[in-house]
Structure formats: C-alpha cells, structure tokens
C-alpha cells in the first residue's frame, strides 16, 4: 500500500509559478510586439495579426486531448516540458515569420500560421497539465493562494519581458527581432524546465493488465461531459470568461469617446484595472488561507461575490456614460478589476478541486475541457464585444448608448455565470485547521467547488 504524497510547499508552488512566468514571457511577444510590428513596420491590416491570435486561441480546443494524454501516461511533467518546447519554438518561429514577411509576404504569413498554431498547442499542453499538477499537489486550504501565485507570476512574465524586449529591439530590424525572440524563448524554456523537473512525485507502475484497459479518448471525454458538475462548470467557465474578456477591447475606446480621455489617460485606466485585479486576488488568497471556514473559506462564495461585483461595476460603467465627465469612471474601473480578480482566483481554485472529483484517471481530460472552454471564450469575447458595439452603433443615435448596452449585456452574463456557479458542487476549507502547518480537512456541501 502506497502512502499519500505530501502536498506541495509554498516554495514548490512558486517553482510551478515560474512555468507560468516563462509562458507569459513568450506569449506577450506574440500579442504585443509581433502584433505591432505587423501593423506598423510591415503595414499589414490589423486583421492579419488578429486572425493569427484567434488561431492561437482556436488551438485551445485541443486541451482535452493533451490532458487525456497525461492521464494515460500517468505523468504531467513530460507534457509541461514538451508543451513549453512547442510554445518557445512557435514563438521563435513567429519572429522568423515576421522578419521573412518583409521580403516574402506569402512565405512569412504561411510560416506565421504554423508558428501561431504551435504556440496555441504548446500553451494548451503546458498550461493544462501545470494546473493538473497543482490540483494534484495543493491541499484545499491553499488553492486560492496557489491560484493567485501562478496568475501573478504569469503577469510578471508579461511585465518583465515587454520592456526588456522593447529596449533591445531599438533600433528595429528583422534580424534583431529574431535575436530577441530567440533569446526570450531559450531563457523561458530553460526556466520552465528547471522549475518543474523533480517536483512531480513518482507513481507506482501499473501492471500490464491495467495498462491494456485504458479507454479511448472519445469515451473518456464523453464520460467527463456526462457528469452534471463538470458540465455545469464548463458552461460557467465559458459564460464568465465571455463576460470577462468582452470588455477588454472596448473599455479604452469608450473612455476616449464618451469621457474625452487622452490615449495616455486610457492607458493609465487599464493599469488601474489590473491593479484592482491584483488586489482582489490577494484578498481572496489571504482570507481563504488564514481565515477559512464554511463561508470565508468557500471558493463557491468568493466566485459568486466576484461575479456579482463585476456585474455591478459593469452596470455602473454603463450608467456612467450618460452622466458624462462628472462620473467617477476611474473608481468604477478599479471596482471592475477588483471583482474580476476575486472571480478569477476563486474560479481557478475551484477548477483545481473539481478536476479530481471524478478520480485521478480523468483529471487531465477534465482540466482540458475547462481550459478549452476558457480559451475559446476568451478568444471570442474580444471579437464579440467589438462586433456588438459596431452593431449597436448602427441603431443607436449616440455612441454612449451603444457602449452602455454592451456593458450592461456583459453585466447580465456575469449574473448568469454567478447563478450557474452556485449550482456546482463545492468544497470549503475548515476554519480550525492551520493551513500553514497541516492538511485541512474539508466537507462537501451542495454548491460550487474550489477552483
């Protein structure tokens, strides 16, 4: 009889967060630097990088297959390392494709399609199995804090890489872009590989009869989708992420058109929103770790609160347009960020707990289904948000009315997501256990599970 593996320490959780840092470092070059080079330096239509980024999100539908692969093999680490290798190779390939497009547009764009697909598949394989590894090794009392750590460390990858890459890209040239991207990709892969190697506990080898009885992917996927809790959580992830991402591309134009803010002011507004996200995450992580209990330790409760706060903030932003410059838009945007942060960290912690509810054999497939719902919704959200504004402006006499309708609709989506979340089974953290020194026992109650 084998002993139950001990949970990850805080240092080990930080090591896994380094994988997210590396992932973020590569992704930010794809979505910001290469995007800008294609539009500005190469004078390509904005639709070109937009379609390539959408292709990256479309590849997220393969996440269940990557999770199933690690379920069958019984190891997550090879999929994380392999996924990071594909991601970094794709990131480097995208830079080569962009440089090549200066002299041969058709060849450059062909290579870019392959590179962005590789990025999407690599990010899906690494990201899905990283969350599965966290779900396996993080005890219930630490899931909120672990989700905050890995999310913040991914943002750190964005924040560190973007200015450093920008510094070394001046004066710009195609070869310089390739050199900078290659360096970032190489460092990112090395950091991720060193961070994850040796963390995953070894499992006892399965006997040959057990190895021949593993069901095919379609059967496992159908089994996961047949579970009411997993199916509801998939719908919750899709609806909430649609609401979460739909405002991303319309908030700054709204501030400029309706509140007459300058480009610099709207950029600061985005920073204020991200600060609110971080504050919301840190508060949920601190309360669930150090206080806990059936209410304050319940990630179901925090998910519902986050969705409700996000809906209220979006409603306020929609109503603030007709008021005009007197409306405290900055405060409303900070509140939106705070609600988003509360929702996001609670939802990730809930995903971790629900992933193991059906047993270890389908944990990766289950996580992959939710990752696919998240990726597709996030990719669709930005496009649908801008499309909805354009359609609303065709019938509205003033831009403020069109934006208000769309923000209000996003708020309604968050309310719908909250109602769905409240119907998903949930585990709460026991108050009397000390989460820093021992594994907290938990009891199951009807509701939302800790992600």
């Amino acid at each position: 009889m084998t002993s139950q593996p001990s949970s990850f320490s805080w240092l080990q959780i930080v090591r896994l967060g380094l994988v997210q840092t590396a992932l973020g470092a590569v992704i930010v070059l794809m979505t910001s630097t290469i995007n800008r080079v294609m539009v500005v330096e190469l004078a390509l239509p904005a639709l070109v990088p937009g379609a390539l980024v959408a292709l990256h999100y479309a590849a997220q539908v393969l996440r269940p297959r990557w999770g199933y692969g690690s379920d069958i093999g019984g190891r997550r680490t090879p999929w994380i390392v392999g996924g990071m290798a594909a991601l970094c190779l794709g990131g480097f390939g995208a830079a080569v494709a962009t440089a090549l497009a200066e002299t041969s547009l058709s060849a450059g764009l062909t290579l870019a399609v392959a590179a962005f697909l590789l990025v999407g598949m690599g990010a899906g394989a690494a990201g899905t199995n990283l969350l599965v590894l966290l779900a396996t090794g993080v005890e219930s009392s630490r899931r909120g804090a672990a989700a905050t750590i890995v999310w913040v460390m991914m943002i750190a990858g964005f924040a560190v890489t973007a200015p450093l890459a920008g510094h070394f890209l001046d004066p710009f040239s195609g070869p310089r872009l390739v050199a900078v991207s290659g360096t970032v990709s190489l460092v990112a892969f090395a950091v991720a590989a060193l961070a994850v190697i040796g963390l995953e506990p070894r499992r006892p080898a399965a006997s040959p009869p057990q190895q021949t009885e593993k069901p095919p992917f379609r059967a496992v996927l159908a089994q996961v989708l047949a579970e009411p809790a997993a199916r509801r959580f998939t719908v919750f992830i899709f609806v909430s992420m649609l609401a979460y991402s739909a405002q991303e591309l319309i908030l700054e134009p709204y501030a400029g058109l309706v509140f007459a803010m300058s480009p610099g002011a709207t950029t600061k507004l985005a920073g204020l929103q991200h600060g609110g996200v971080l504050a919301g995450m840190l508060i949920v992580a601190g309360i669930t770790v150090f206080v806990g209990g059936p209410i304050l330790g319940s990630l179901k409760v925090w998910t519902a609160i986050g969705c409700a706060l996000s809906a209220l903030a979006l409603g306020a932003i929609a109503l603030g347009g007709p008021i005009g410059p007197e409306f405290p838009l900055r405060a409303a945007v900070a509140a939106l960020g705070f609600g988003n942060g509360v929702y996001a960290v609670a939802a990730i912690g809930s995903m971790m707990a629900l992933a193991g509810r059906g047993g270890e054999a389908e944990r990766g497939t289950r996580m992959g289904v939710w990752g696919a719902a998240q990726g597709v919704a996030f990719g669709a959200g930005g496009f649908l948000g801008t499309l909805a504004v354009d359609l609303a402006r065709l019938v509205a006499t003033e831009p403020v009315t069109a934006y208000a309708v769309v923000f209000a609709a996003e708020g309604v989506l968050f309310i719908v997501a909250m109602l769905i979340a409240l119907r998903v089974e949930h585990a709460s953290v026991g108050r009397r256990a000390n989460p820093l020194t021992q594994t907290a026992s938990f009891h199951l109650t009807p509701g939302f599970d800790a992600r």
Side-chain angles (χ1 to χ4, degrees), residues 47 52 192 210-211 336 351:
L47 181 65
L52 290 171
Q210 290 175 309
Q211 291 176 348
L336 175 61
M351 185 186 290

Side-chain angles (χ1 to χ4, degrees), residues 269-284:
L269 197 66
L272 191 63
Q273 183 180 5
H274 292 314
V277 170
L278 180 59
M281 289 182 165
L282 292 175
I283 286 176
V284 173

Side-chain angles (χ1 to χ4, degrees), residues 28-46 48-50 53 98 116 166 169-170 172 177:
V28 74
L29 290 184
M30 309 287 292
T31 58
S32 62
T33 305
I34 290 177
N35 174 38
R36 176 245 151 84
V37 169
M38 286 185 174
V39 174
V40 179
E41 276 73 20
L42 300 184
L44 295 174
V48 172
V53 171
T98 304
F116 273 81
L169 277 172
D170 288 330
F172 175 81
L177 174 64

Side-chain angles (χ1 to χ4, degrees), residues 365-386:
T365 307
R366 193 174 285 103
M367 191 73 78
V369 168
W370 299 328
Q374 175 183 333
V376 172
F378 199 91
F383 171 75
L384 291 177
T386 55

Side-chain angles (χ1 to χ4, degrees), residues 168-181:
F168 288 107
L169 277 172
D170 288 330
F172 175 81
S173 68
R176 189 179 286 266
L177 174 64
V178 171
V180 169
S181 177

